[in-house]
Amino acid sequence: MGSSSAAPWKQLLLSSIQANSHLKHYSYFQLATVASNGRPSNRTVVFRGFQDDGDKILINTDNRSRKIDELKHCPFAEICWYFTESWEQFRINGSVDVIDGTNPDPVKLEQREKSWFACSPKSRLQYMAPTPRLPSLSELPSEIPSMDPSIGPVAAFCLLILDPAQIDYLNLKSNERLIFTSGLSSDGKKLWTSEKVNP
Amino acid sequence: MGSSSAAPWKQLLLSSIQANSHLKHYSYFQLATVASNGRPSNRTVVFRGFQDDGDKILINTDNRSRKIDELKHCPFAEICWYFTESWEQFRINGSVDVIDGTNPDPVKLEQREKSWFACSPKSRLQYMAPTPRLPSLSELPSEIPSMDPSIGPVAAFCLLILDPAQIDYLNLKSNERLIFTSGLSSDGKKLWTSEKVNP
């Protein structure tokens, strides 16, 4: 068991990303939330990197999707990220900050805008599509919309920022498992402890 | 929108399994549950097939793992199964029956025994390993245990049977999404309705 102020699991995760980066799906993971009826929800989302140089994880989503209501009801989520090439699993749980265009914090709105412009013009278009999960009314493919690439985030664009509290790392090749847990140091800084546990 | 007594999503899922079966990880999916503190949990598990000819999904697990307590607290789960080759996602939610060796129902115990013998001798050995998630005390690899292949399920072996209530199918190549929902017909049989919705 050791402790550290830098996130010791982050280097492990960056190595896994590197080892699996030749696979198209390497950046996909599953995000579990809890619905207002107390039941679990689970869906695949795309890793959009870390916030600045920290350990908070960025995810883009549609403000009209069910996960938004779920996260407003229960702000906790668990990522399960399985790397198919290296046989490694990261279970990352923490609280999620939901940042849409109505957020009162200018710093957060700036981060949302930064994430919007980091998206490809093609992926920005999906936020102009009809409301997810509503009945599909047309048999015909809808008109392909176009968007001025200089236009800022549209109303449906929402940024999620997951602040990790615990990481459960499992390596199925070496059969090793590590649990990383965050706490606070005496001066109020995030401090990580790690422990080797049975797989 | 249509309705059917046979599970119409099952053929779709079997086709995806077929299309992805050359990949080692095709049978892995993520199972989300809710912990007793109300927060979500998420981990990768292995698809062990359907029960008999029905639509219930079999999963093997260790009776000492946290998901058992979670499922006893909240019996609902959501599977997220993403097929990396065909770009299809199945979100399958339903209730989970937890069947360990203390189950009073002889039919369920028989199903548990059947699932045990369907495991490879090597995968049966993991249920003899030290308790998952407890501190790993030894720096040395533990002795490789051996097991008489004719011996029935050990105490740690637990069968989960998920009874699907709703399936949310998304195809990222065709950009199509279908929701399958179960209900009951007038004679008490499970009846499936399906609806095409916006992706």
Side-chain angles (χ1 to χ4, degrees):
Chain A
M1 188 150 167
S3 71
S4 163
S5 60
W9 53 270
K10 192 180 166 183
Q11 192 48 51
L12 209 55
L13 180 58
L14 290 172
S15 302
S16 303
I17 290 171
Q18 181 64 29
N20 293 268
S21 60
H22 59 292
L23 299 166
K24 205 165 216 155
H25 58 268
Y26 83 93
S27 65
Y28 291 16
F29 54 68
Q30 280 68 38
L31 182 78
T33 51
V34 179
S36 58
N37 63 5
R39 299 189 185 184
S41 275
N42 207 2
R43 79 287 286 161
T44 308
V45 295
V46 179
F47 174 65
R48 300 289 181 175
F50 291 100
Q51 185 181 27
D52 306 324
D53 292 327
D55 58 10
K56 294 183 183 177
I57 290 171
L58 305 176
I59 299 160
N60 298 338
T61 191
D62 195 305
N63 199 32
R64 301 165 297 175
S65 69
R66 288 202 177 178
K67 64 175 97 51
I68 301 300
D69 284 337
E70 294 176 354
L71 287 167
K72 284 179 181 167
H73 167 259
C74 168
F76 300 99
E78 186 157 280
I79 287 170
C80 182
W81 199 347
Y82 182 70
F83 290 94
T84 57
E85 182 84 5
S86 58
W87 299 14
E88 292 167 294
Q89 174 180 268
F90 292 81
R91 294 172 61 179
I92 305 170
N93 71 54
S95 58
V96 179
D97 199 4
V98 178
I99 306 168
D100 65 17
T102 67
N103 201 291
D105 184 336
V107 178
K108 291 183 180 178
L109 285 178
E110 202 180 314
Q111 176 69 64
R112 174 174 172 264
E113 188 173 81
K114 202 173 150 188
S115 292
W116 168 263
F117 285 113
C119 288
S120 68
K122 198 189 160 195
S123 73
R124 287 179 214 166
L125 284 178
Q126 70 182 278
Y127 298 99
M128 303 287 278
T131 304
R133 224 184 145 110
L134 283 191
S136 177
L137 297 171
S138 168
E139 285 301 307
L140 299 166
S142 53
E143 248 180 88
I144 295 164
S146 63
M147 196 189 287
D148 181 339
S150 67
I151 281 177
V154 297
F157 182 75
C158 185
L159 172 67
L160 305 180
I161 304 183
L162 185 143
D163 186 5
Q166 192 176 65
I167 288 87
D168 181 343
Y169 167 76
L170 178 66
N171 186 317
L172 288 177
K173 285 189 183 171
S174 66
N175 208 27
E176 285 181 307
R177 189 173 178 183
L178 293 166
I179 311 269
F180 299 93
T181 307
S182 71
L184 288 179
S185 67
S186 53
D187 59 345
K189 279 189 183 159
K190 209 176 188 181
L191 192 76
W192 288 95
T193 56
S194 67
E195 192 176 19
K196 196 178 167 187
V197 299
N198 296 323
Chain B
M1 190 152 169
S3 72
S4 163
S5 60
W9 53 269
K10 192 180 166 184
Q11 193 48 54
L12 208 56
L13 179 58
L14 290 172
S15 302
S16 302
I17 289 171
Q18 181 65 29
N20 293 268
S21 60
H22 59 292
L23 300 167
K24 206 165 215 156
H25 58 268
Y26 84 92
S27 64
Y28 292 14
F29 54 68
Q30 280 68 39
L31 182 78
T33 52
V34 179
S36 58
N37 63 5
R39 299 188 186 185
S41 275
N42 206 2
R43 79 287 286 162
T44 307
V45 294
V46 179
F47 174 63
R48 299 289 181 175
F50 291 99
Q51 186 181 27
D52 306 322
D53 293 328
D55 58 10
K56 294 183 181 176
I57 290 171
L58 305 175
I59 299 160
N60 298 337
T61 191
D62 194 306
N63 199 32
R64 302 164 298 174
S65 68
R66 288 203 177 177
K67 63 176 98 50
I68 301 300
D69 284 338
E70 294 176 353
L71 287 167
K72 283 178 181 168
H73 166 260
C74 169
F76 300 98
E78 185 157 281
I79 288 170
C80 182
W81 198 346
Y82 183 70
F83 290 94
T84 57
E85 181 84 6
S86 58
W87 300 14
E88 292 167 292
Q89 173 180 267
F90 291 81
R91 295 173 61 180
I92 305 172
N93 71 54
S95 58
V96 179
D97 198 3
V98 178
I99 305 168
D100 66 16
T102 67
N103 200 291
D105 184 338
V107 177
K108 291 182 179 179
L109 285 177
E110 203 180 313
Q111 175 70 62
R112 174 174 173 262
E113 189 174 81
K114 201 172 151 189
S115 292
W116 169 263
F117 285 113
C119 288
S120 69
K122 199 189 159 195
S123 73
R124 287 178 213 167
L125 284 177
Q126 69 181 277
Y127 298 99
M128 304 287 278
T131 304
R133 225 184 145 109
L134 283 191
S136 177
L137 297 170
S138 169
E139 286 300 307
L140 300 166
S142 54
E143 248 179 88
I144 295 164
S146 63
M147 196 189 287
D148 181 339
S150 66
I151 280 177
V154 298
F157 181 75
C158 186
L159 172 66
L160 305 180
I161 304 183
L162 186 142
D163 187 5
Q166 192 175 67
I167 287 87
D168 181 343
Y169 167 77
L170 177 66
N171 186 316
L172 288 177
K173 284 189 181 171
S174 65
N175 208 27
E176 284 181 305
R177 188 173 179 185
L178 292 166
I179 310 269
F180 299 93
T181 307
S182 72
L184 288 179
S185 67
S186 53
D187 58 345
K189 280 188 180 158
K190 209 176 188 181
L191 192 76
W192 288 96
T193 55
S194 67
E195 191 176 20
K196 196 177 169 187
V197 299
N198 296 323

